[in-house]
Amino acid sequence: MSFCCSCSSCCSCGNIKTIAKRELGGYFASPVAYVFIVIFLLLTGFFTFMAGGFFERSQASLESFFTWHAWLYLFLVPAVGMRLWAEERRVGTLELLLTMPITTLEAIVGKFLASWAFLAIALFLTFPVVITVNWLGSPDNGVILSAYIGSLMMAGAYLAITSMTSAMTRNQVVSFIISVVLCLFLILCGFPPVTNLLSRLDSPRLVEAVAALSVLTHFDGFAKGVLDSRDIIYFLSIIGFSLFTTGVIIRSHRAG
Amino acid sequence: MIKVENLSKSFGPKLAVDGVSFTVERGEVLGFLGPNGAGKSTTMRMITGFIPPSDGRITVGGFDMVANPIPAKRLIGYLPENAPSYADMTVEGFLSFAAELRGMRGDARKKAVSRAIEMCFLESVIYQSVDTLSKGYRHRTCFAQSIIHDPDVLILDEPTDGLDPNQKHEVRSLIRRMGARKAIIFSTHILEEVDAACTRAIIIDRGRIVANGTPEELRHKSEQSGAVLLCVSGQPSGAVSERLNHLSSARRTTIVKEENGKVWARVYSKSKNTDGELARNVMQAAQGWSVEELHTEEGRLDDVFRSITLSETAKEVSK
């Protein structure tokens, strides 16, 4: 952001920053933020130590922590993002926002970045688990860092999808359900039971093509400590596409 | 400042605004009148760039709203219908946010915020969050947002809706004061506001402009404009209307009411000029009666409004 502000498009970044600041402030002004963070931390703790069998593995790795992220985000990220546009439309502030001297894109990016930053804060607050594993053994912290980056990218992809569904409706619940379904689709096409089913069709190419759509497949690389450009591009293109579609939807609503 | 040419908007098969054209210059306050659903808000939303027109052109300060929206929007302050604002923000935070989006930073922003707070009488609620405010304060908060950058163009969609009579008065006088230096459009249902604040009024009905003029000119369209009201006591109503009906300059006479031996009669003028001829004739005709009251009527805007919008509806139905 600071790099951006020194360039000529200062105005644009300023607007994005203003909108992001307001949006992030909006999360913490309501109990939503605290409820979300507490639930997120409780659930990650539960899945890591109970369901994931962190201790039973007796390995100095956070694999049991990260494997659950795709599933946790499935419900939690849409819960964070569902209000992004639905609420603005319901209350009528959308009219206020879009008659300001800013572009729709600036508004979309600003709001998206704010929610993403909020998710990043929640994710950052899981740091005690890193300390724990470092205290118990000597894990590969590079892998952990890369997995954190992957987790954040995955959250961003889900969030962009939720931003899109949120723009479709003024009802937050509808937005939540549609985005859960879309994200679930992105998980399932790489989920082993589904890929196993597809492999019975005896077409490895098909299985590969379908699995390549999945967040699980692409998150896997990050979780193993491999920062593959293809994985990064995958997540960035979901974000880019969804935010672009958000713009199209908002424009079509205004056109009536 | 504002130039609207042939503006149309259709939502599916429904034509909400149909070929509306008008201009508003600096120093003008344009009142936008019309029944509910006439297309007032839709027109305003198009002028402010919230929804794109289906057809026609809007220029604000020389900038085309469709082709070049950002500089055009910079010139506009907008109060949307129902005065929306972010419920979780404080009044101060909300206004700072608006000022920042208007490109103000640091000291300039602080000054703008405190000026808007002062102009809209929000001092007592600066640090309160918007959702704890009463409707009047919420409304004024959103109004403050629209004038925060001291815009050249102000578009106000029902600025006095939901305010108490004192607040209405304040807002009207604020609009009138600001109108000297700005181009202002505001919509309303309340006709007395047109008299109180407008230099010109447009009546819009089913998407079309059906009347455009100063409040004075509009009032002259009223049937009652130029009519003479006479009140006499101690005469039967039949005799009063009989004698008044024979006046050469009178079109017809109606008895308005009879009470305690007094009779009120209204004499409608044949011609539209108000040089006092009818009043003189009525005075002559009333020789020998004990006259309690006699005055020439100005015509009332709500009659004009009703006759224009209702007759249009009637025409539409008869088609």
Side-chain angles (χ1 to χ4, degrees), chain B residues 211-277:
Chain B
N212 182 355
T214 62
E216 197 73 359
E217 284 166 2
L218 290 181
R219 236 182 278 124
H220 278 303
K221 293 195 175 189
S222 159
E223 200 190 20
Q224 281 178 25
S225 166
V228 171
L229 188 77
L230 174 74
C231 172
V232 295
S233 61
Q235 293 288 333
S237 62
V240 172
S241 65
E242 173 71 21
R243 208 194 284 182
L244 293 175
N245 260 332
H246 282 100
L247 290 175
S248 58
S249 54
R251 187 157 47 86
R252 67 190 174 94
T253 304
T254 56
I255 299 298
V256 183
K257 62 173 177 177
E258 282 184 80
E259 218 174 77
N260 304 331
K262 292 181 187 173
V263 178
W264 278 266
R266 181 176 285 132
V267 189
Y268 293 96
S269 172
K270 257 184 189 156
S271 60
K272 274 285 170 198
N273 58 3
T274 49
D275 55 2
E277 190 198 353

Side-chain angles (χ1 to χ4, degrees), chain A residues 32-188:
Chain A
V32 177
Y34 306 101
V35 170
F36 175 85
I37 288 177
V38 167
I39 289 179
F40 177 72
L41 294 179
L42 283 177
L43 286 180
T44 46
F46 171 79
F47 279 115
T48 308
F49 295 107
M50 315 295 281
F54 175 77
F55 294 113
E56 288 79 355
R57 285 166 188 252
S58 38
Q59 277 173 7
S61 89
L62 284 182
E63 208 187 319
S64 62
F65 171 66
F66 285 112
T67 22
W68 300 99
H69 279 200
W71 297 97
L72 264 178
Y73 288 157
L74 177 61
F75 294 99
L76 292 179
V77 174
V80 168
M82 64 185 181
R83 68 201 269 280
L84 272 179
W85 295 100
E87 182 73 2
E88 296 254 1
R89 277 186 64 203
R90 196 181 60 79
V91 181
T93 43
L94 187 64
E95 195 168 346
L96 212 57
L97 192 63
L98 296 183
T99 51
M100 288 287 178
I102 57 168
T103 63
T104 311
L105 185 71
E106 284 162 11
I108 292 170
V109 172
K111 284 170 85 70
F112 170 77
L113 286 180
S115 322
W116 206 11
F118 172 69
L119 289 172
I121 292 169
L123 190 59
F124 173 77
L125 289 177
T126 59
F127 68 88
V129 82
V130 182
I131 296 175
T132 309
V133 78
N134 270 293
W135 184 59
L136 291 174
S138 45
D140 185 342
N141 280 317
V143 174
I144 291 177
L145 182 66
S146 128
Y148 262 112
I149 291 172
S151 174
L152 194 59
M153 296 287 267
M154 187 162 61
Y158 283 14
L159 187 65
I161 289 169
T162 312
S163 162
M164 179 175 77
T165 64
S166 178
M168 287 175 187
T169 167
R170 64 187 67 206
N171 187 327
Q172 296 190 18
V173 177
V174 174
S175 151
F176 176 82
I177 292 170
I178 298 175
S179 49
V180 167
V181 170
L182 289 179
C183 295
L184 183 64
F185 172 77
L186 285 185
I187 293 181
L188 284 184

Side-chain angles (χ1 to χ4, degrees), chain B residues 97-113:
Chain B
F97 169 66
E100 242 179 275
L101 284 184
R102 296 292 183 179
M104 287 178 268
R105 298 283 185 279
D107 261 2
R109 190 187 73 186
K110 271 188 204 137
K111 262 187 209 143
V113 169

Side-chain angles (χ1 to χ4, degrees), chain A residues 11 14-15 18-19 21-22 26 29 83 88 91-103 254-256, chain B residues 9 11 45 48-52 70 73-74 78 80 84-86 88-89 94 97-98 100-102 105 142 145:
Chain A
C11 190
N15 289 338
T18 304
I19 290 168
K21 210 169 65 186
R22 196 217 72 75
R83 68 201 269 280
E88 296 254 1
V91 181
T93 43
L94 187 64
E95 195 168 346
L96 212 57
L97 192 63
L98 296 183
T99 51
M100 288 287 178
I102 57 168
T103 63
R254 287 159 72 193
Chain B
K9 178 75 195 177
F11 295 106
R45 283 177 175 165
T48 52
F50 179 58
I51 52 178
I70 303 293
K73 283 177 181 174
R74 262 193 206 119
Y78 179 38
S85 49
Y86 292 103
D88 49 34
M89 296 179 96
F94 176 64
F97 169 66
E100 242 179 275
L101 284 184
R102 296 292 183 179
R105 298 283 185 279
C142 194
Q145 162 278 132

